[in-house]
Amino acid sequence: MRLDDSPESENVEDRRGMGMRLGGGKLGIGAIILALVAMYFGVDPSVVLQVLQDPAGQQAPATATAPPANDPQRRFVAKVLGETEETWQAIFRDHAKRSYVPPKLVLYTGATNTACGTGRAAMGPFYCPADSKVYLDLSFFDDMKRRFQAPGDFAQAYVIAHEVGHHVQHLLGISERVTSLQQENPRQANALSVRLELQADCYAGLWAKQADSARHILESGDVEEALNAASAIGDDRLQKQSQGYVVPDAFTHGTSAQRVRWFKRGLASGDPRQCDTFSAQAL
């Protein structure tokens, strides 16, 4: 990626070097049942048990030295976030006729407090609509390289852009409407989640198209890195790796092929109207 001339976002909150002290409360039978349900749907039950043991978490004194302000990883994240801000400001102005309010991006190590509960590295990057923040433990980028065989700076940028896509959905009221529909029809909750995630993939591709057209940020091989990353974190591939078989009814993010398809759709069109996964007959 060509980011030398990209602006660094001021919306990066660096909590690295701060720790979380997690409680050791006892677990009841209800907690065990929830963990078993989570395991059935492909979620790591240990994550559920940890959250139930200490849903809020307690901030502990720093256990490691905080990285310097000019830390290369922080600067990379800040530049990618800055690129998303430039792009979505223009899209909101041209299509939504309103101002874009960017999210905060929180860097943390291990675990951190969020308005959506305790965030943990095992959860991967995520967006919390309750505080309009993206949470990222940079160890996930090492996982992408080693566990998912999806290295590269643009693969990492795709992950950030995907989470920013969830923020866009929040600003437009899409994620809230999906939540309401999921509550009304729980049997469709996973299917609706897939459409929400695929739209965020499309938004990530749209961002790449718009940012490259405006500032020429892409280099040879970048798109392939993003497509490889999208494929590597498809539900079908992750389930196959973790449990040896696939449970389509438990999909929450979409298959590898679907994630690639919708990222490419956003990348080809650069048009947010082409990212309407909720009206699509086929994903």
Side-chain angles (χ1 to χ4, degrees):
M1 292 183 71
R2 300 186 185 94
L3 295 175
D4 290 344
D5 297 326
S6 298
E8 287 190 33
S9 172
E10 297 180 355
N11 291 309
V12 176
E13 180 182 345
D14 200 340
R15 299 181 188 173
R16 291 176 297 166
M18 302 175 67
M20 290 286 293
R21 184 173 59 249
L22 302 178
K26 295 181 179 180
L27 294 170
I29 186 65
I32 302 300
I33 292 173
L34 285 176
L36 291 174
V37 171
M39 184 169 61
Y40 175 79
F41 284 106
V43 177
D44 183 356
S46 66
V47 174
V48 176
L49 294 174
Q50 288 174 353
V51 171
L52 291 171
Q53 278 185 299
D54 183 37
Q58 298 179 2
Q59 198 69 39
T63 57
T65 304
N70 62 347
D71 172 59
Q73 286 187 304
R74 185 191 187 283
R75 292 197 63 197
F76 170 78
V77 169
K79 282 179 174 288
V80 172
L81 189 63
E83 283 290 345
T84 68
E85 291 169 356
E86 294 276 332
T87 298
W88 284 109
Q89 283 168 2
I91 293 173
F92 267 57
R93 181 182 64 246
D94 296 341
H95 292 272
K97 308 302 180 186
R98 55 185 280 195
S99 298
Y100 173 68
V101 181
K104 292 279 188 180
L105 190 152
V106 179
L107 297 176
Y108 71 100
T109 303
T112 192
N113 288 324
T114 86
C116 297
T118 301
R120 289 175 173 80
M123 300 163 60
F126 65 95
Y127 173 71
C128 175
D131 57 19
S132 297
K133 293 181 178 181
V134 173
Y135 290 87
L136 172 63
D137 185 316
L138 290 172
S139 65
F140 182 75
F141 291 160
D142 292 330
D143 288 341
M144 289 178 64
K145 180 179 179 180
R146 296 170 185 167
R147 178 183 170 192
F148 304 126
Q149 287 79 53
D153 54 0
F154 192 65
Q156 297 171 2
Y158 153 71
V159 169
I160 295 171
H162 172 93
E163 298 305 330
V164 171
H166 285 311
H167 177 66
V168 171
Q169 291 170 324
H170 173 58
L171 293 180
L172 296 177
I174 297 171
S175 51
E176 285 67 29
R177 289 197 295 272
V178 168
T179 299
S180 295
L181 289 172
Q182 290 173 320
Q183 293 171 346
E184 293 171 8
N185 192 351
R187 291 187 177 182
Q188 291 297 312
N190 281 7
L192 287 165
S193 176
V194 167
R195 291 181 183 268
L196 194 71
E197 295 294 337
L198 294 179
Q199 185 178 60
D201 281 330
C202 187
Y203 283 163
L206 180 157
W207 160 73
K209 171 71 171 182
Q210 295 271 17
D212 188 56
S213 296
R215 292 173 293 280
H216 307 292
I217 66 169
L218 297 183
E219 297 179 303
S220 176
D222 280 347
V223 171
E224 289 75 15
E225 288 179 4
L227 295 177
N228 182 43
S231 177
I233 54 180
D235 282 329
D236 53 342
R237 185 164 171 180
L238 292 179
Q239 287 186 359
K240 187 71 172 177
Q241 289 176 344
S242 64
Q243 60 194 26
Y245 57 92
V246 174
V247 183
D249 287 345
F251 289 172
T252 57
H253 286 65
T255 67
S256 294
Q258 288 170 336
R259 301 199 70 168
V260 167
R261 185 179 306 125
W262 281 96
F263 177 85
K264 290 173 71 174
R265 184 164 180 166
L267 182 66
S269 68
D271 183 352
R273 293 169 294 188
Q274 297 300 314
C275 292
D276 185 3
T277 55
F278 297 95
S279 297
Q281 294 298 313
L283 297 175

